[in-house]
Amino acid sequence: MSEISDVMGEAGRRGADALPLAGTHILLGEGDADTAARIARALRDRGAASVHPVASTEAFLLAGSAPPAPVRFWDAAVWHTGLGPDDAALGGLLERWRAQHPGIPVVVSDDAPSARLAVTALRGRAADLVERSDPDGLATAVARAVAERADPLGVEGSGQNSLRMLVVGAHPDDVEIGLGGTIHRRAHSGWDVTVLTMSRGGNGGDPARRRKEAHLAAEVLGARLLMEDLPDGSMADDRVTVEAVERAVAEAAPDVVVVHSESDTHQDHRAVHRATLVACRKVARLACYQSPSATVSYRPNRFIELSEVDVEAKLAAIAAHHSQAASRWYLDEDLLRSTARYWGRFSQTRYAEPLELVHERNPVLL
Ligand SMILES: [Zn+2]
């Protein structure tokens, strides 16, 4: 298994690890006994050591705090929205759970997940939102949540708990469009994600307003934002640009850097791509996301699986760029969603974001 498949996508992990839930203990909030039995079976098929079903929110929270012996702690929890009085109950439940059990992922099941519910799940940092009638899909989501919590690293023996990712874009909103779903996914599985935007986007509107929008978008995704002030429209791959990226590299100390591709019609995107290659020559992994201005020469070779919640987060982050939404064709929600859906075919998942891997090195094994 290649290093990058651990770091940049789950697809490579599947199959190599036949029992992804081996030895885990799962708390299952599910009111219907037959459904609970089906889900428990799917979880045990993936190696779960124990599945503890409870049929009410009160019992769920109680068992969360006091697991029944011999279980000492939960590896993950599943909560069915039907246990609450209404959809709004999900927000409160997730907030309480996170306060009491930070770090234990909750996968939410629903009879027919709506976009609105996905936003609530996203805000409450649910690990995933899945259809209740699909025990296999649910068990896969639990396995993914556990894997991302337990081993988000992929660099064996480095002793780190999480990876650090730096994502570089020429203008406000470039990074959200190219990699918003992945940023959300990684940030919420414990990665430290920094976004570097090289300009204030003066050609597309008032820089002060765009700056505020960029901060809000980063917050939605769970990332930290660094902003430079290079000239929008006339960036060069010169020393100034290289040094700007080097400053961010020094500050964020990234294991992974992702930037625009060389195959792009926008001169600023190409300049930032080249400057980043130079600035990140010592970074372990470098990859390129797809911008709306990418050409047909953009050839991705890695695909990051996204959940519905990740896609909703991406759309919410892009919507934070209010000043651009009306005037830019590529910000159309239908286009963004169908693009993620299209790339999903390469990772055999519903949604994905593509990456062109430029280089990877293993700093530990070298
Ligand atoms: Zn751009």
Side-chain angles (χ1 to χ4, degrees), residues 170-174 260 266 269 293:
H171 316 102
D173 81 15
D174 282 344
H260 295 285
H266 199 303
H269 295 179
S293 49

Side-chain angles (χ1 to χ4, degrees), residues 258-293:
V258 193
V259 66
H260 295 285
S261 160
E262 172 71 36
S263 306
D264 197 300
T265 58
H266 199 303
Q267 71 278 10
D268 284 353
H269 295 179
R270 288 196 306 275
V272 169
H273 165 85
R274 289 175 194 151
T276 301
L277 284 192
V278 178
C280 297
R281 59 202 176 278
K282 291 182 182 161
V283 173
R285 293 168 198 82
L286 183 72
C288 304
Y289 56 78
Q290 183 188 35
S291 301
S293 49

Side-chain angles (χ1 to χ4, degrees), residues 128-157:
D128 218 327
L129 171 64
V130 290
E131 265 189 53
R132 184 197 192 197
S133 60
D134 176 17
D136 267 331
L138 202 149
T140 301
V142 172
R144 191 165 51 224
V146 168
E148 288 186 354
R149 187 192 64 136
D151 179 26
L153 194 57
V155 184
E156 206 178 327

Side-chain angles (χ1 to χ4, degrees), residues 87-301:
D87 275 10
L90 175 62
L93 181 278
L94 289 171
E95 197 179 321
R96 270 183 80 177
W97 181 269
R98 214 170 60 240
Q100 290 171 5
H101 314 292
I104 302 180
V106 181
V107 171
V108 177
S109 79
D110 187 76
D111 291 322
S114 65
R116 225 173 110 194
L117 194 68
V119 170
T120 307
L122 148 74
R123 291 204 179 114
R125 301 197 192 161
D128 218 327
L129 171 64
V130 290
E131 265 189 53
R132 184 197 192 197
S133 60
D134 176 17
D136 267 331
L138 202 149
T140 301
V142 172
R144 191 165 51 224
V146 168
E148 288 186 354
R149 187 192 64 136
D151 179 26
L153 194 57
V155 184
E156 206 178 327
S158 75
Q160 295 168 287
N161 291 322
S162 67
L163 283 179
R164 291 181 296 272
M165 178 161 75
L166 173 67
V167 191
V168 186
H171 316 102
D173 81 15
D174 282 344
V175 159
E176 292 86 333
I177 296 165
L179 207 68
T182 301
I183 291 171
H184 177 262
R185 186 158 200 86
R186 295 300 180 242
H188 287 78
S189 67
W191 286 33
D192 182 64
V193 184
T194 302
V195 169
L196 169 64
T197 299
M198 303 298 282
S199 74
R200 309 278 164 95
N203 286 350
D206 170 33
R209 182 170 176 199
R210 297 207 68 185
R211 190 160 182 268
K212 269 190 200 154
E213 293 172 347
H215 275 280
L216 180 62
E219 200 184 314
V220 167
L221 296 178
R224 175 170 69 127
L225 179 67
L226 302 175
M227 274 194 125
E228 289 285 342
D229 197 8
L230 296 188
D232 185 356
S234 50
M235 292 177 205
D237 56 347
D238 60 4
R239 207 167 60 104
V240 174
T241 311
V242 172
E243 284 176 359
V245 180
E246 281 177 344
R247 277 195 292 279
V249 169
E251 191 170 337
D255 304 285
V256 183
V257 172
V258 193
V259 66
H260 295 285
S261 160
E262 172 71 36
S263 306
D264 197 300
T265 58
H266 199 303
Q267 71 278 10
D268 284 353
H269 295 179
R270 288 196 306 275
V272 169
H273 165 85
R274 289 175 194 151
T276 301
L277 284 192
V278 178
C280 297
R281 59 202 176 278
K282 291 182 182 161
V283 173
R285 293 168 198 82
L286 183 72
C288 304
Y289 56 78
Q290 183 188 35
S291 301
S293 49
T295 69
V296 289
S297 301
Y298 177 77
R299 290 190 58 186
N301 46 13

